[in-house]
Amino acid sequence: MAFSIGELSRRAGVKVPTIRYYEAAGLMPPAPRSDGGQRRYGRADAERLTFIRHARELGFEPEAIRELLDLTAHPEQSCATIDAIAARHLREVERRIASLGRLRDELARMIGECGHGRIGDCRVVETLADHAHCAGEHP
Amino acid sequence: MAFSIGELSRRAGVKVPTIRYYEAAGLMPPAPRSDGGQRRYGRADAERLTFIRHARELGFEPEAIRELLDLTAHPEQSCATIDAIAARHLREVERRIASLGRLRDELARMIGECGHGRIGDCRVVETLADHAHCAGEHP
DNA sequence: TCTACGATCTCTAGCGACTAGAGGTTCAAG
DNA sequence: CTTGAACCTCTAGTCGCTAGAGATCGTAGA
Ligand SMILES: [Zn+2]
Ligand SMILES: [Zn+2]
Ligand SMILES: [Zn+2]
Ligand SMILES: [Zn+2]
C-alpha cells in the first residue's frame, strides 16, 4: 500500500532529492512518516508527482503548477482559469520562439556575410563589436 | 583619459556590479587602480565591454565569449575558429527553437481540444496528468 | 583648505530549480 | 540478528548576475 520515496521516484520518474525539494517548495504536500521517520506515499502522490513532472517538461513554472494543482482539487468548477494559465504559457512560449528566431536570423546573417579570411576582417567579430551592423533590434 | 567604472558603465551600457563580476569571471582584465584603489579604464576597455555586452545579448555563453576575445587578440590568424564558435551557437539556438516549437504545438493542441467545461473534464488537465495524451515526445 | 556627498571599494548573501555530498539512521532480506 | 541498500537532514555548489552593508575615495563648492 504505502511505499517509499525511492519507489515513488521510480514510478513518477523524478529523482529522490527533487521530490524532497518539491515538498519543501510546497508542490508536494508534507508526506506522512513511518515510525522511523521515513516518508510514505500512496497512489495519489504518484499521480500528483507525475502531473508535476509532465507540466515541468511542458515548461510550466512551479508557481503555475501550484495554481493548476489547487484548481484540480475542485473538479466541479469551470476550467476557464486552467485554460487561461495554459494559454498564458503558450503565449510566453511563442514570445520566446519569436525572440530566438530574430537571434537565429542575426547569427545566420553575420556568419553568412563573413568571407572566412583573417580575424582582422571577420564579419562575425565586426558585428559583435558593433550593434550597428545588426539588421534589427534584439532584447 | 582614464575614467571610472561608473563612466565605463555608461559608455558600454553595463551595470557597475556586472563589470566587477566580469572582472572576477575573467572576461575583463584586472583593471589598474588609482592611488586610492579605484578602478581606472581606457578606450580599449570600453570596446571590449561593448563586445561582451553585445555577444551576451546575442546569447553567447561567457565561456564562448572568452574564446572569442582570446582569438581577436591575433588578427592575422584565420577566423575559422571564430566562425565555428558562432556556427555552434547558431545550431544551439536552432535546436532550442525546434524544441520550443514542439512545445508550442503540444500546448496549442491541448488547449484546442478542451471543450471549456468543468475541470473534471478539462483536456488540459487530462493531458498534463498523462503524457500518453501528447502527440509527440518532448525533452 | 575644509567639508560635504556622491561614487566607489570589498564582502556577503540571495535568486530559481535543482544537484551533490557528508555523516548518521532505518528498513527489509536472508 | 546481521548486513547493506535506502533513507534522513543539513550544507554547499551550480550560473549569471543583483542587492545590500559598511567603509573609503574623489571632487567640487565655500
Ligand atoms: Zn569570420
Ligand atoms: Zn546587435
Ligand atoms: Zn479546459
Ligand atoms: Zn507529454
Side-chain angles (χ1 to χ4, degrees), chain B residues 4 6 20 33 38-39:
Chain B
S4 72
R20 290 196 277 252
R33 305 297 183 113
Q38 301 192 356
R39 290 173 180 82

Side-chain angles (χ1 to χ4, degrees), chain B residues 59-93:
Chain B
F60 286 88
E61 304 281 326
E63 174 56 31
I65 298 176
R66 241 187 306 269
E67 294 178 52
L68 292 172
L69 287 167
D70 289 350
L71 288 164
T72 55
H74 311 285
E76 303 308 320
Q77 294 184 7
S78 153
C79 75
T81 308
I82 289 199
D83 297 357
I85 291 169
R88 185 181 72 199
H89 178 45
L90 172 58
R91 281 196 303 277
E92 174 62 20
V93 169

Side-chain angles (χ1 to χ4, degrees), chain A residues 4 6 20 33 38-39:
Chain A
S4 72
R20 290 195 276 252
R33 304 299 183 113
Q38 301 194 356
R39 290 172 180 83

Side-chain angles (χ1 to χ4, degrees), chain A residues 51 66-85, chain B residues 110 113-129 133:
Chain A
F51 183 100
R66 240 187 305 270
E67 294 179 52
L68 292 172
L69 286 167
D70 289 350
L71 288 163
T72 55
H74 309 286
E76 302 309 320
Q77 295 183 7
S78 153
C79 75
T81 308
I82 289 198
D83 297 358
I85 291 170
Chain B
M110 171 169 104
E113 283 179 3
C114 180
H116 309 305
R118 299 181 321 123
I119 288 176
D121 306 320
C122 180
R123 188 64 178 175
V124 172
V125 172
E126 283 173 25
T127 304
L128 289 175
H133 291 129

Side-chain angles (χ1 to χ4, degrees), chain B residues 99-120:
Chain B
S99 173
L100 284 172
R102 288 192 296 275
L103 210 57
R104 177 201 51 207
D105 294 346
E106 212 61 78
L107 290 169
R109 210 177 46 79
M110 171 169 104
I111 295 167
E113 283 179 3
C114 180
H116 309 305
R118 299 181 321 123
I119 288 176

